[in-house]
Amino acid sequence: MKTHLQELEAESIYILREVAAQFQRPAILFSGGKDSIVVTHLAYKAFYPARLPFPLVHIDTGHNFRETLEYRDALVQRLGAELIVGSVQESIDTGRVKEETGFNASRNALQTTTLLDTIERHKFDACIGGARRDEEKARAKERIFSHRDDFGQWNPKNQRPELWNIFNGRKNMGEHFRVFPISNWTEMDVWQYILQEKIELPSLYYTHKRKVFQRDGQWLAAEDCIRRRPEEVVVEKEVRCRTIGDITCTGLTLSTAHSLEDIVAEIAATRVTERGGRADDKRSETAMEDRKKQGYF
C-alpha cells in the first residue's frame, strides 16, 4: 500500500513526464521558495539519472533575500541545471514597467511583465510552477494544465476539463500553459515530503534573528528596499518565513522552529493560512486573481 505522500509524488512525476512529452520548450518557474524547490526535486527524480530537462527560470525583482539567491545559485550548480534570470530592474530601466513609490511600494506586481517578456524571449510553451490549490481561493480555480492566451492572460471561465488525469496541452501559436504538478498537495504535505526526502532549504525557513518592524499586523524585514514610516520602530526578533517572495511583501512569522520536525509541528498547530503573511494578497479581495488574469504565476 502506498502512503499518501507516495501517491502525491507519483501523480506529480506523471504530470512532469507529460509536460516533457507534450511540449517542446518547457521550463520550471523557480522562486527559491519551498514549493518551487519541491517541484525541482520531483523533476530531478522524474528523469534521473538523466539531467534535468527543464531550465530554471527565476524572475529577479532586485529585492530578493540574499539567502534566496545564494541557495538558487548553489542548487543550479549542484544539479548542473540551466538558469535563466528575468530582471525586473531591467524592465524598469527600459520603460517596460513603472516602479511604485510610497511606503507600500513593491516590485511584486511588476514581475508579471518581466515574466511574460522572458517567456516570449525564450519561446517557452509551458511554465511549471509550484502553486497549490489550498494556498488561495484564486489558485483553487486552476487546472493542472492551465491555459494562457497569446497575451499571457488567464481566463478562469475558459479552462479545459481534466478527466481521468488526461491533460490537454494543445494550443495555438503564441499561447502557452502554466503547469502545476503539486496542485493537489497541502502545505502540510509539502513539509512532510521535505522532511521525508531530507530536502535542503534556504535558511530563511528556519528560525533566526532578524531586524524587523511591524506594519498592519505583520512583521516585515527591515531592509533598505522598504521605506518605513517614522512610527515604525525596528526591533530584533526570532522569526522565520513560511513563504518566500519579494522582501517588500514577505511577512515573517515569530517562531521557535529550528528543525523540519519543529516546522511540521508548528504548521499542524497554526490557525493562520500560509499566505496570511503576504502583504500583496491584502491589497484587495481579488488581488491574486487580478494578478493571475494579467499573467502572474
Side-chain angles (χ1 to χ4, degrees):
M1 295 289 291
K2 287 185 177 181
T3 67
H4 83 286
L5 288 180
Q6 288 174 323
E7 291 178 351
L8 289 171
E9 180 189 66
E11 178 188 54
S12 298
I13 286 176
Y14 168 74
I15 293 166
L16 288 162
R17 289 172 176 166
E18 279 292 301
V19 172
Q22 293 195 40
F23 298 99
Q24 295 182 340
R25 181 64 170 151
I28 294 176
L29 298 178
F30 186 82
S31 67
K34 68 182 187 310
D35 297 317
S36 63
I37 291 169
V38 166
V39 169
T40 304
H41 179 81
L42 289 163
Y44 173 78
K45 292 188 75 170
F47 300 99
Y48 182 83
R51 292 179 62 178
L52 195 68
F54 315 122
L56 302 184
V57 176
H58 180 221
I59 304 304
D60 183 2
T61 66
H63 293 163
N64 294 106
F65 287 100
R66 172 182 51 80
E67 296 92 331
T68 303
L69 299 180
E70 290 174 352
Y71 177 91
R72 177 201 70 185
D73 294 341
L75 179 66
V76 167
Q77 184 175 17
R78 178 166 58 84
L79 296 180
E82 177 187 2
L83 174 65
I84 295 171
V85 178
S87 170
V88 172
Q89 184 62 57
E90 181 180 326
S91 298
I92 294 170
D93 293 342
T94 57
R96 292 284 294 143
V97 294
K98 183 179 179 181
E99 187 157 21
E100 296 179 358
T101 59
F103 292 110
N104 293 314
S106 173
R107 289 185 175 182
N108 195 57
L110 306 187
Q111 294 181 83
T112 299
T113 298
T114 307
L115 172 62
L116 294 176
D117 288 347
T118 303
I119 291 171
E120 175 62 26
R121 185 179 306 120
H122 294 276
K123 306 301 180 185
F124 295 128
D125 54 359
C127 292
I128 305 163
R132 308 185 322 270
R133 289 177 179 142
D134 78 319
E135 285 184 271
E136 203 272 343
K137 55 190 177 184
R139 285 184 166 167
K141 300 178 182 180
E142 286 275 23
R143 297 288 194 267
I144 291 174
F145 273 34
S146 183
H147 176 263
R148 296 300 196 270
D149 65 20
D150 51 356
F151 292 102
Q153 297 177 333
W154 174 65
N155 182 352
K157 296 180 180 180
N158 186 28
Q159 295 295 308
R160 296 163 183 191
E162 293 179 339
L163 306 175
W164 308 292
N165 285 341
I166 298 174
F167 302 112
N168 183 353
R170 295 180 182 177
K171 61 179 184 59
N172 296 318
M173 181 67 70
E175 300 174 344
H176 72 276
F177 279 81
R178 306 288 171 84
V179 180
F180 304 108
I182 61 171
S183 290
N184 293 328
W185 297 46
T186 65
E187 183 187 10
M188 179 60 83
D189 293 331
V190 169
W191 281 112
Q192 288 179 330
Y193 186 74
I194 290 170
L195 175 62
Q196 172 187 286
E197 298 288 299
K198 298 180 174 59
I199 299 173
E200 186 179 346
L201 295 174
S203 58
L204 292 165
Y205 279 113
Y206 301 98
T207 297
H208 58 285
K209 288 186 177 180
R210 185 175 290 271
K211 290 183 178 180
V212 297
F213 67 96
Q214 197 166 46
R215 175 180 291 174
D216 299 329
Q218 294 178 317
W219 291 103
L220 295 174
E223 300 285 348
D224 293 340
C225 60
I226 305 181
R227 184 181 170 193
R228 296 189 301 276
R229 297 181 175 90
E231 67 273 15
E232 292 174 334
V233 180
V234 175
V235 296
E236 189 173 76
K237 294 282 186 179
E238 288 200 334
V239 296
R240 74 175 192 88
C241 293
R242 281 180 71 184
T243 176
I244 295 176
D246 188 83
I247 290 175
T248 58
C249 61
T250 299
L252 301 167
T253 302
L254 299 178
S255 175
T256 58
H258 294 278
S259 67
L260 288 173
E261 290 84 357
D262 291 342
I263 292 173
V264 169
E266 185 178 272
I267 296 302
T270 189
R271 293 298 177 266
V272 178
T273 64
E274 177 182 4
R275 294 190 67 92
R278 288 296 293 265
D280 50 327
D281 288 351
K282 300 185 178 184
R283 292 194 169 193
S284 74
E285 279 292 318
T286 59
M288 172 64 81
E289 183 160 337
D290 292 342
R291 293 199 306 275
K292 289 178 72 64
K293 287 178 179 178
Q294 294 166 3
Y296 187 74
F297 296 172

